[in-house]
């Protein structure tokens, strides 16, 4: 009769004796998906900490339209969230405690908007520097100290480069493709690139080619446009040589990525996996995700060994 779905076929008696079953037969088909490592990357998706625009805008949506919050800074709670994420990262290890997970991150990609830049250096940057220390160690400065402007920014000491066991320093790279929704809210309009370079000397802005924000105010991105930009961003990421990349971005763009590339019914993902993937991100949440590129656009995997006559 017809073999029951999920049952193992009878063993061919002409073959070698079968090894004992290591796992029972299940009812699932194609539950797992194997892909060569070089066609994958691990992304640590991070939404920025709470900004002044979030604090006031969630209480009155009209405040998102206020010029007061142009390119909004983190508020005091946002900086505290960065400190909490930083502490979490510095404590996180492999299951046996032998390796710091922070050492795995090879590059930090960050949106060129103030709140994302402050979150990147606040959570993944190095130690805070006293004023005199920052002046005497200019090459170590990732973010310059800022003074308080009431209701606009809380002021913060300078921050040094992050030095890990494997990277000195950990590189930071700004990328306009992962900026927030391009629309009409002033909080999403960026400053001149030269201003950011002066404020964040430890961040590489070479990928941001325009001095002025030539995108804000020219459109009001719909979901299709944001997902198209997410595709361009993912193509850019997959061409990079790093395997483990932190991406500091924004809620709407992160949600667009998760909708476009996240777990779906078509992939056979359980409802709880879909819910976990598509949940709206909290401020300063870090969500590690594995990206698989089935088109074969990956690079070289240094761990791959062809065997056969290789090396003989």
């Amino acid at each position: 009769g017809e073999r029951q779905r999920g049952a193992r076929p009878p063993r061919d008696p002409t073959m070698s004796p079968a090894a004992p079953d290591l796992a029972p037969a299940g009812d699932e088909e194609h539950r797992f998906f194997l892909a060569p490592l070089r066609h994958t990357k691990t992304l640590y998706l991070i939404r920025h900490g709470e900004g002044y625009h979030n604090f006031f805008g969630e209480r009155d949506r009209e405040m998102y339209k206020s010029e007061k919050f142009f390119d909004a800074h983190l508020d005091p709670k946002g900086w505290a969230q960065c400190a909490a994420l930083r502490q979490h990262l510095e404590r996180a290890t492999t299951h046996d405690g032998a390796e710091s997970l922070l050492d795995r991150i090879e590059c930090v990609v960050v949106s060129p908007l103030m709140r994302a830049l402050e979150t990147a250096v606040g959570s993944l940057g190095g130690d805070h520097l006293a004023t005199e220390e920052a002046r005497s160690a200019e090459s170590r400065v990732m973010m310059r100290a800022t003074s308080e402007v009431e209701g606009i920014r809380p002021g913060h000491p300078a921050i040094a480069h992050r030095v890990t066991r494997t990277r000195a320093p950990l590189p930071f790279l700004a990328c306009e493709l992962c900026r927030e929704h391009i629309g009409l809210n002033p909080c999403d309009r960026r400053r001149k690139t030269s201003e950011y370079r002066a404020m964040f000397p430890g961040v590489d802005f070479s990928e941001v080619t325009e001095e002025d924000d030539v995108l804000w105010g020219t459109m009001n991105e719909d979901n299709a446009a944001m997902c198209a930009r997410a595709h361009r961003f993912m193509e850019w990421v997959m061409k990079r040589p790093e395997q483990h990349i932190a991406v500091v971005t924004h809620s709407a763009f992160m949600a667009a990525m998760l909708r476009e590339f996240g777990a779906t019914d078509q992939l056979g993902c359980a409802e709880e996996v879909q819910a976990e993937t598509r949940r709206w991100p909290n401020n300063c949440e870090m969500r590690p995700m594995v990206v698989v590129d089935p088109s074969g656009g990956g690079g070289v995997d240094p761990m791959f060994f062809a065997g056969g006559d290789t090396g003989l």
Side-chain angles (χ1 to χ4, degrees):
E2 182 180 352
R3 182 168 61 92
Q4 182 180 359
R5 180 178 179 268
R8 296 184 187 276
R11 186 175 65 85
D12 184 342
T14 65
M15 301 295 288
S16 301
D21 283 344
L22 299 180
D27 292 333
E28 302 86 1
E29 290 184 359
H30 304 296
R31 176 179 170 189
F32 301 104
F33 175 28
L34 287 173
L37 184 63
R38 72 188 187 97
H39 300 305
T40 71
K41 288 191 188 296
T42 301
L43 301 184
Y44 303 88
L45 300 180
I46 301 172
R47 182 190 175 190
H48 63 79
E50 181 180 278
Y52 280 98
H53 68 306
N54 295 133
F55 179 82
F56 289 100
E58 291 305 305
R59 289 157 177 79
D60 178 359
R61 305 295 291 182
E62 288 298 309
M63 295 301 290
Y64 280 114
K65 301 176 183 178
S66 172
E67 278 290 335
K68 179 179 180 180
F69 304 120
F70 152 64
D71 193 19
H73 286 268
L74 295 181
D75 65 12
K77 182 178 179 179
W79 279 108
Q81 290 170 332
C82 291
L85 175 56
R86 172 193 170 100
Q87 186 177 63
H88 167 76
L89 287 167
E90 290 176 344
R91 291 177 175 175
T93 65
T94 51
H95 68 94
D96 57 1
E99 181 185 0
S100 167
L101 296 182
L102 188 56
D103 288 338
R104 292 184 176 183
I105 298 177
E106 301 165 71
C107 178
V108 179
V109 173
V110 56
S111 156
L113 286 169
M114 182 61 70
R115 57 195 182 271
L117 289 160
E118 290 177 337
T119 299
V121 300
S123 57
L124 290 157
D127 296 331
H128 295 175
L129 298 172
T131 302
E132 291 303 318
E133 189 178 9
R135 288 174 181 168
S136 63
E138 181 68 20
S139 63
R140 292 181 55 208
V141 176
M142 168 154 279
M143 185 191 85
R144 300 192 192 282
T146 58
S147 58
E148 180 180 2
V149 179
E150 187 175 356
I152 301 297
R153 70 183 184 202
H156 199 277
I159 297 176
H161 286 278
R162 163 73 65 175
V163 176
T164 67
R165 185 178 59 83
T166 52
R167 284 162 190 85
L170 178 65
F172 285 62
L173 177 64
C175 176
E176 196 132 54
L177 287 170
C178 64
R179 65 183 289 173
E180 183 56 302
H181 169 260
I182 301 170
L184 303 175
N185 290 339
C187 57
D188 300 328
R189 185 173 78 245
R190 71 167 175 84
R191 300 162 200 260
K192 292 180 180 293
T193 307
S194 56
E195 293 184 48
Y196 290 133
R197 291 182 193 274
M199 297 175 72
F200 299 93
V203 177
D204 180 356
F205 288 92
S206 60
E207 292 281 340
V208 184
T209 57
E210 298 287 347
E211 165 71 353
D212 296 305
D213 191 344
V214 298
L215 297 173
W216 186 88
T218 63
M219 66 185 85
N220 192 13
E221 281 185 308
D222 58 14
N223 181 65
M226 284 198 73
C227 289
R229 178 156 60 91
H231 268 273
R232 296 196 301 275
F233 175 70
M234 293 290 273
E235 288 170 358
W236 178 83
V237 163
M238 293 305 292
K239 291 176 183 176
R240 293 198 59 80
E242 301 91 356
Q243 190 72 25
H244 292 260
I245 301 173
V247 178
V248 184
T249 183
H250 307 261
S251 59
F253 183 76
M254 187 169 164
M257 288 182 65
L258 296 172
R259 283 195 305 271
E260 186 72 358
F261 307 113
T264 64
D265 287 330
Q266 289 80 6
L267 293 175
C269 296
E271 289 184 6
E272 58 267 28
V273 176
Q274 296 183 52
E276 178 184 355
T277 303
R278 297 182 176 189
R279 177 177 52 79
W280 194 266
N282 294 317
N283 284 117
C284 223
E285 178 178 344
M286 182 178 76
R287 199 175 297 183
M289 308 293 289
V290 175
V291 182
V292 179
D293 182 2
S295 70
V300 176
D301 179 8
M303 285 293 286
F304 175 76
F305 184 72
D309 293 333
T310 304
L312 301 183

